Structures are given as structure tokens and as C-alpha cells.
Amino acid sequence: FNLPMSSFARGDYKQPNLNAVGHQIAPAICYEIAFPEQLRANVNAGTELLLTVSNDAWFGRSNGPLQHMQIAQMRAIELGRPLLRATNNGVTAIVDTQGKITHSLPQFETGVLKAEVPLVAGMTGFARWGQTPLLLLCTLVLIGAVIRRLQLR
């Protein structure tokens, strides 16, 4: 990326939580919400809230903003944290720890979303171990399939 006046540089994979009035918030900018392991690396037992901000204008009137929202909902479920999502013209919403949208604004309309959000602490299984159990299970199934295949010969 070499444009005049460009000062972008890659940040650290693991970032400290934001501290907002004593509350710990794990932020994800735009497409970072699509990477479960990266967000997981930035959530700890003291993290109370997930926050994602995004410019969804480039999606236009496609299903992109809705899919982006669904991806964000999965992070709330996996990490067991409420999620605040703010976009310029996509889906601005509040998601509970079960992935349910509790409050939202209509797409393509300017507005302010206000709600009380219960904060959560602690760690889910995914927050502790990530995708490791799933990868181990897939490996065991693959090994079992290879053994079965060899036995049938």
C-alpha cells in the first residue's frame, strides 16, 4: 500500500481492550469481525462488551450488510458477550449473548440507537479453546475414515 500521504501500518494481532468509563470493550473494525480467532485473542475474562464499527457502503443494496451482521452475531454467541454494531448504512444493532438482535436501526437511515445493555464477564468454551476441539474432532474423523478405508481393502 504505497499512496501519497499514506501512513497505514499493520497493528499488533493482539490489542488491549478499550476502557470506556471503567468498562472493558473488545473492538473489531469492519471485516475484523469475520475472523473468530483474532477477536478471540483480544477477549479476556474482564472483557464486558464487543464493539464493531463498519463502513458497509461498498456493499450497496446487496445482501452483504445482512451477511456481515450475521457474522457479527456469531462472534457474540461464540464469545458470550453482547455486541454493539455501528455502520454508516448497513445494519446498526445491539446483539445479546445468544446472538439475538435486541435493538436495531433501519438500513440507509440516519439515526441514534439507545438501549441498556447488560454486561457480561467470564469465558465461554470457545473463548478458552477456540476452534481446537473442532479441529481435533475433524482429525479423528479423518483418521477413522482412513483406517476404515484401509480395512476394506
Side-chain angles (χ1 to χ4, degrees), residues 13 28 34 36 72-73 94 130 138:
Y13 184 79
Q73 286 174 267
I94 298 172
C138 290

Side-chain angles (χ1 to χ4, degrees), residues 28-34 52-56 58-59 68 85:
I29 299 171
C30 196
Y31 66 89
E32 288 176 344
I33 200 74
T52 182
V53 293
S54 182
N55 174 0
D56 283 354
W58 64 278
F59 283 123
H68 206 188
R85 178 167 169 75

Side-chain angles (χ1 to χ4, degrees), residues 1-11:
F1 194 73
N2 188 14
L3 293 175
M5 299 177 60
S6 174
S7 62
F8 290 112
R10 181 186 302 258

Side-chain angles (χ1 to χ4, degrees), residues 87-107:
T87 66
N88 57 341
N89 66 354
V91 181
T92 293
I94 298 172
V95 178
D96 68 14
T97 58
Q98 303 302 308
K100 180 182 173 214
I101 296 175
T102 59
H103 301 82
S104 65
L105 292 175
Q107 272 187 274

Side-chain angles (χ1 to χ4, degrees), residues 62-84:
S62 72
N63 286 331
L66 300 175
Q67 291 171 337
H68 206 188
M69 182 68 225
Q70 290 171 337
I71 291 168
Q73 286 174 267
M74 281 304 300
R75 300 298 86 82
I77 295 168
E78 291 166 348
L79 298 167
R81 298 292 189 281
L83 169 81
L84 305 181

